[in-house]
Amino acid sequence: THNLDGVGWNPFKAPGLDGWTRDTWAKRKVALISGITGQDGSYLTELLLDKGYTVHGIIRRSSSFNTSRLHHLYQDSHQSACPGRMILHYGDLTDSTNLVYIISQVQPSEIYNLGAQSHVKVSFEMAEYTGDVDGLGTLRLLDAIRTCGLEKLVRFYQASTSELYGKVQTPIQNEQTPFYPRSPYGVAKLYAYWMVVNYRESYGMFACNGILFNHESPRRGRTFVTRKITRAVAEISLGKQECMYMGNLDAKRDWGHGTFISLLLYTIFLDVSVLLDLFVLSLISLPLILSRLAKFLCVFLNSLPGVLVKLTMSVPLARDYVEGMWRVLQYRDPQDFVLASGETHSVREFIEKSFAIVGISLRWLGKGVEEIGVDIKSGHVVVRVDQKYFRPAEVEILHGDCSKAETILGWKRTVTFDDLIREMVEADVASAKYLVEDHN
Ligand code: NDP
Ligand code: GDR
């Protein structure tokens, strides 16, 4: 029985929470992701499902389909005998009541706040909305955790960003570098960053900032520069588009990518561990080894199409960074970490390398907004600059130093800049070809 006048009584707190510690609570493996429909949300969901989590995601109501990145993970409870471990809830970071309700229902052990109006250029046009979602939205989630009495149990990840550094103060940026955001997006994320630090210090919450530098993949939104380039290159190479129109070609970014290599190593490791297992068994009994061998062959043959699809369809791209997010929350105490590739490249370089993959070499002519990129072989202009894609204030260069994450979390990105570009161009060429054939 509760004393309604009692100090400290929390009507939203689920009964029976008192016996739990943060470590026992973590073993339940229940994750809640805001922004689950985005690039990172979809990769994180795959990763957590693989690790045995039940994954709850917050999706926005939309008049058009916004769950395409999750399609392959969705299991319709009417069609499937076993209930899916990915569960979607309608919600929005602007709606506090809804966030409290979802958290009280889900009782998550980990929350990943990836939801955001994440486009820097758009944030200049929708500054107030961006502040509401990216800044106050983070505060609403943190407060919802407290409202539900989970502040001593939940682990909270905040998608902070290299945009916090903005007008950079040092050639290479790490956790100690001062912030100087250059857009309403960056300023909103700065507010969120400090709220996370403040709630960690004020209420002892396990709340962490992952300061992630740009990371890309074929699932990247189509208006971000890398995907805009790789899609245009694909269309131009197939004769479906003549020219791409770009903004600041000299901006430099620290672009990271996924874990193709580690998936390969993981697969090899599995095979080696099965062979070792068989060797040990062979020392004990022949019938046992024969039955194990038969079972291994069945499992291997059954899983082969899946493994091949995974390897050739590049399913695990951008997982480097979501693996990093997960590692941030598994560390023994809450801290902030930079995740970056440690390299910096210009937009111009990204364009040149993307064209090179489809066999087009570029020559640059002119200067400033008059600059053009010409296909050396055909003489066609394939790149033009358009003032409309410039930002009122630009982040000229970003170059991350993730040595803290490397040392403490053992995290490192694995895929090179060139492999990232190849992967994205090839995926866009394949899908552009598919659409051509479809129309025919
Ligand atoms: P995306 O733009 O691909 O995804 C953003 C997600 O947020 C989508 O699921 C979107 O839903 C959701 N969202 C937008 N507004 C709201 C709202 N009002 N309430 C709830 N959800 C909302 O971003 P990324 O996956 O690339 O990035 C994930 C997070 O990491 C973002 O917070 C971004 O700012 C941050 N970040 C990203 C980096 C990168 O290089 N990708 C680097 C550093 C930080 P819907 O699908 O309905 O639009
Ligand atoms: P960014 O990514 O602003 O770094 O934010 P974006 O790909 O939009 O821009 C990168 C750089 O390219 C220049 N640029 C163009 N950008 C776009 N979108 N379109 C163009 O035509 C174009 N031409 C040149 C930009 O001026 C900029 O300098 C991303 C987002 O994912 C954020 O959410 C995240 O926090 C940061 O990365 C880290």
Side-chain angles (χ1 to χ4, degrees):
T1 57
H2 292 296
N3 171 9
L4 288 181
D5 299 324
V7 177
W9 178 58
N10 180 352
F12 296 99
K13 187 171 173 177
L17 282 183
D18 290 337
W20 295 85
T21 65
R22 194 166 272 148
D23 288 343
T24 55
W25 189 250
K27 295 207 170 79
R28 294 172 51 252
K29 289 191 165 186
V30 179
L32 174 65
I33 304 176
S34 76
I36 193 170
T37 55
Q39 170 189 252
D40 290 3
S42 62
Y43 286 122
L44 182 63
T45 304
E46 284 168 8
L47 181 95
L48 294 178
L49 289 174
D50 274 0
K51 290 186 184 293
Y53 283 70
T54 301
V55 179
H56 294 260
I58 300 176
I59 60 165
R60 299 193 291 173
R61 194 270 154 181
S62 161
S63 66
S64 52
F65 196 59
N66 65 355
T67 49
S68 58
R69 293 184 179 106
L70 299 172
H71 192 67
H72 60 296
L73 299 172
Y74 184 70
Q75 262 177 301
D76 187 338
S77 56
H78 303 103
Q79 307 285 327
S80 164
C82 51
R85 280 187 292 116
M86 182 186 74
I87 300 145
L88 302 177
H89 308 259
Y90 281 111
D92 199 295
L93 285 164
T94 57
D95 184 343
S96 318
T97 316
N98 158 269
L99 296 176
V100 171
Y101 180 75
I102 292 174
I103 292 176
S104 70
Q105 293 295 302
V106 170
Q107 298 285 313
S109 52
E110 291 171 15
I111 297 181
Y112 296 85
N113 182 29
L114 310 185
Q117 190 302 93
S118 72
H119 203 285
V120 174
K121 172 85 167 34
V122 173
S123 80
F124 287 97
E125 283 147 53
M126 302 180 73
E128 182 183 331
Y129 175 74
T130 306
D132 195 9
V133 176
D134 301 12
L136 286 176
T138 306
L139 172 63
R140 289 187 189 103
L141 257 185
L142 290 166
D143 268 342
I145 294 169
R146 292 186 60 224
T147 304
C148 295
L150 292 170
E151 68 273 23
K152 290 284 189 292
L153 299 178
V154 164
R155 290 167 188 244
F156 181 88
Y157 175 90
Q158 168 60 15
S160 284
T161 162
S162 50
E163 284 294 299
L164 296 175
Y165 300 117
K167 192 170 177 182
V168 294
Q169 312 289 296
T170 53
I172 298 187
Q173 301 84 49
N174 64 19
E175 292 81 2
Q176 269 75 53
T177 307
F179 298 136
Y180 190 147
R182 293 273 280 170
S183 63
Y185 167 81
V187 175
K189 286 278 187 178
L190 185 71
Y191 175 86
Y193 172 93
W194 282 114
M195 271 302 161
V196 168
V197 175
N198 184 254
Y199 273 45
R200 181 165 76 211
E201 293 173 356
S202 306
Y203 308 112
M205 285 178 72
F206 196 110
C208 311
N209 286 290
I211 307 172
L212 271 53
F213 283 63
N214 299 54
H215 46 279
E216 318 294 317
S217 76
R219 285 191 207 165
R220 185 58 145 152
R222 293 171 181 190
T223 56
F224 296 101
V225 76
T226 54
R227 188 76 200 289
K228 177 172 165 178
I229 294 167
T230 58
R231 283 191 80 230
V233 164
E235 302 268 315
I236 291 168
S237 72
L238 296 171
K240 293 172 73 186
Q241 182 178 326
E242 283 185 0
C243 181
M244 66 169 86
Y245 294 85
M246 303 300 303
N248 181 4
L249 300 173
D250 296 315
K252 289 186 159 183
R253 288 292 180 276
D254 178 320
W255 279 298
H257 191 14
T259 59
F260 179 79
I261 294 168
S262 54
L263 180 79
L264 205 60
L265 289 177
Y266 178 65
T267 311
I268 292 167
F269 170 76
L270 273 189
D271 289 348
V272 170
S273 66
V274 170
L275 289 176
L276 276 176
D277 188 24
L278 287 174
F279 174 71
V280 173
L281 280 173
S282 71
L283 301 176
I284 308 168
S285 136
L286 189 64
L288 203 57
I289 184 179
L290 287 177
S291 80
R292 275 290 178 100
L293 198 56
K295 194 172 161 202
F296 168 64
L297 276 178
C298 287
V299 171
F300 179 72
L301 290 176
N302 272 334
S303 66
L304 198 55
V307 170
L308 287 179
V309 166
K310 272 196 170 181
L311 291 176
T312 53
M313 300 285 289
S314 309
V315 172
L317 303 178
R319 274 172 68 133
D320 264 359
Y321 286 70
V322 296
E323 166 83 26
M325 293 175 188
W326 177 77
R327 286 192 190 198
V328 166
L329 288 199
Q330 310 315 307
Y331 191 56
R332 62 177 151 77
D333 52 60
Q335 295 193 25
D336 305 323
F337 291 93
V338 162
L339 302 184
S341 79
E343 289 175 24
T344 187
H345 300 274
S346 67
V347 171
R348 187 191 305 277
E349 210 179 327
F350 199 103
I351 295 174
E352 285 168 359
K353 286 186 182 260
S354 300
F355 271 116
I357 286 163
V358 295
I360 297 176
S361 304
L362 285 190
R363 178 190 302 138
W364 297 100
L365 299 172
K367 272 214 160 94
V369 284
E370 302 299 324
E371 188 166 4
I372 51 172
V374 181
D375 174 354
I376 292 177
K377 218 188 280 168
S378 70
H380 290 144
V381 177
V382 286
V383 187
R384 283 186 194 278
V385 175
D386 185 338
Q387 191 65 44
K388 123 174 160 193
Y389 297 113
F390 282 73
R391 293 155 189 204
E394 175 66 293
V395 173
E396 298 294 347
I397 179 167
L398 290 171
H399 189 177
D401 162 20
C402 64
S403 37
K404 180 181 173 189
E406 275 182 37
T407 317
I408 297 186
L409 304 177
W411 180 87
K412 199 168 171 40
R413 67 97 199 218
T414 56
V415 176
T416 64
F417 181 61
D418 287 2
D419 286 343
L420 158 70
I421 297 177
R422 177 168 293 282
E423 214 51 76
M424 291 181 71
V425 171
E426 285 176 354
D428 277 328
V429 169
S431 83
K433 271 189 187 154
Y434 172 77
L435 288 177
V436 171
E437 282 155 18
D438 209 26
H439 283 303
N440 291 338

